[in-house]
PDB file of all heavy atoms in Angstrom:
ATOM      1  N   ALA O 192      31.879  11.047  18.056  1.00 39.00           N
ATOM      2  CA  ALA O 192      32.195   9.620  18.191  1.00 39.00           C
ATOM      3  C   ALA O 192      30.941   8.794  18.282  1.00 39.00           C
ATOM      4  O   ALA O 192      30.860   7.707  17.707  1.00 39.00           O
ATOM      5  CB  ALA O 192      33.097   9.440  19.443  1.00 39.00           C
ATOM      6  N   MET O 193      29.991   9.303  19.055  1.00 37.00           N
ATOM      7  CA  MET O 193      28.713   8.552  19.181  1.00 37.00           C
ATOM      8  C   MET O 193      27.995   8.464  17.837  1.00 37.00           C
ATOM      9  O   MET O 193      27.471   7.392  17.451  1.00 37.00           O
ATOM     10  CB  MET O 193      27.800   9.238  20.180  1.00 37.00           C
ATOM     11  CG  MET O 193      28.334   9.174  21.643  1.00 37.00           C
ATOM     12  SD  MET O 193      27.307  10.082  22.758  1.00 37.00           S
ATOM     13  CE  MET O 193      25.794   9.185  22.631  1.00 37.00           C
ATOM     14  N   ILE O 194      28.047   9.522  17.071  1.00 39.00           N
ATOM     15  CA  ILE O 194      27.386   9.472  15.811  1.00 39.00           C
ATOM     16  C   ILE O 194      28.074   8.493  14.819  1.00 39.00           C
ATOM     17  O   ILE O 194      27.485   7.755  14.110  1.00 39.00           O
ATOM     18  CB  ILE O 194      27.306  10.884  15.183  1.00 39.00           C
ATOM     19  CG1 ILE O 194      26.488  11.777  15.997  1.00 39.00           C
ATOM     20  CG2 ILE O 194      26.811  10.894  13.744  1.00 39.00           C
ATOM     21  CD1 ILE O 194      26.507  13.256  15.647  1.00 39.00           C
ATOM     22  N   THR O 195      29.424   8.519  14.893  1.00 40.00           N
ATOM     23  CA  THR O 195      30.168   7.595  13.993  1.00 40.00           C
ATOM     24  C   THR O 195      29.900   6.191  14.341  1.00 40.00           C
ATOM     25  O   THR O 195      29.707   5.344  13.463  1.00 40.00           O
ATOM     26  CB  THR O 195      31.680   7.965  14.119  1.00 40.00           C
ATOM     27  OG1 THR O 195      31.882   9.311  13.836  1.00 40.00           O
ATOM     28  CG2 THR O 195      32.495   7.094  13.170  1.00 40.00           C
ATOM     29  N   ALA O 196      29.908   5.851  15.643  1.00 38.00           N
ATOM     30  CA  ALA O 196      29.611   4.446  16.052  1.00 38.00           C
ATOM     31  C   ALA O 196      28.247   4.008  15.665  1.00 38.00           C
ATOM     32  O   ALA O 196      28.030   2.919  15.221  1.00 38.00           O
ATOM     33  CB  ALA O 196      29.838   4.349  17.596  1.00 38.00           C
ATOM     34  N   ALA O 197      27.292   4.884  15.857  1.00 39.00           N
ATOM     35  CA  ALA O 197      25.961   4.533  15.502  1.00 39.00           C
ATOM     36  C   ALA O 197      25.822   4.306  13.979  1.00 39.00           C
ATOM     37  O   ALA O 197      25.121   3.400  13.559  1.00 39.00           O
ATOM     38  CB  ALA O 197      24.954   5.628  15.977  1.00 39.00           C
ATOM     39  N   SER O 198      26.501   5.116  13.219  1.00 41.00           N
ATOM     40  CA  SER O 198      26.372   5.005  11.767  1.00 41.00           C
ATOM     41  C   SER O 198      27.055   3.686  11.280  1.00 41.00           C
ATOM     42  O   SER O 198      26.608   3.131  10.300  1.00 41.00           O
ATOM     43  CB  SER O 198      27.015   6.199  11.046  1.00 41.00           C
ATOM     44  OG  SER O 198      28.384   6.273  11.393  1.00 41.00           O
ATOM     45  N   HIS O 199      28.076   3.243  12.002  1.00 41.00           N
ATOM     46  CA  HIS O 199      28.730   1.977  11.559  1.00 41.00           C
ATOM     47  C   HIS O 199      27.961   0.763  11.935  1.00 41.00           C
ATOM     48  O   HIS O 199      28.043  -0.270  11.287  1.00 41.00           O
ATOM     49  CB  HIS O 199      30.143   1.938  12.172  1.00 41.00           C
ATOM     50  CG  HIS O 199      31.134   2.838  11.457  1.00 41.00           C
ATOM     51  ND1 HIS O 199      31.534   2.628  10.119  1.00 41.00           N
ATOM     52  CD2 HIS O 199      31.799   3.969  11.875  1.00 41.00           C
ATOM     53  CE1 HIS O 199      32.364   3.616   9.742  1.00 41.00           C
ATOM     54  NE2 HIS O 199      32.547   4.393  10.800  1.00 41.00           N
ATOM     55  N   ASN O 200      27.272   0.873  13.093  1.00 44.00           N
ATOM     56  CA  ASN O 200      26.576  -0.345  13.623  1.00 44.00           C
ATOM     57  C   ASN O 200      25.220  -0.564  12.966  1.00 44.00           C
ATOM     58  O   ASN O 200      24.695  -1.639  13.042  1.00 44.00           O
ATOM     59  CB  ASN O 200      26.358  -0.208  15.098  1.00 44.00           C
ATOM     60  CG  ASN O 200      27.687  -0.297  15.902  1.00 44.00           C
ATOM     61  OD1 ASN O 200      28.601  -0.877  15.423  1.00 44.00           O
ATOM     62  ND2 ASN O 200      27.736   0.423  17.088  1.00 44.00           N
TER      63      ASN O 200
END
Side-chain angles (χ1 to χ4, degrees):
M193 292 176 63
I194 294 172
T195 305
S198 61
H199 284 294
N200 292 332

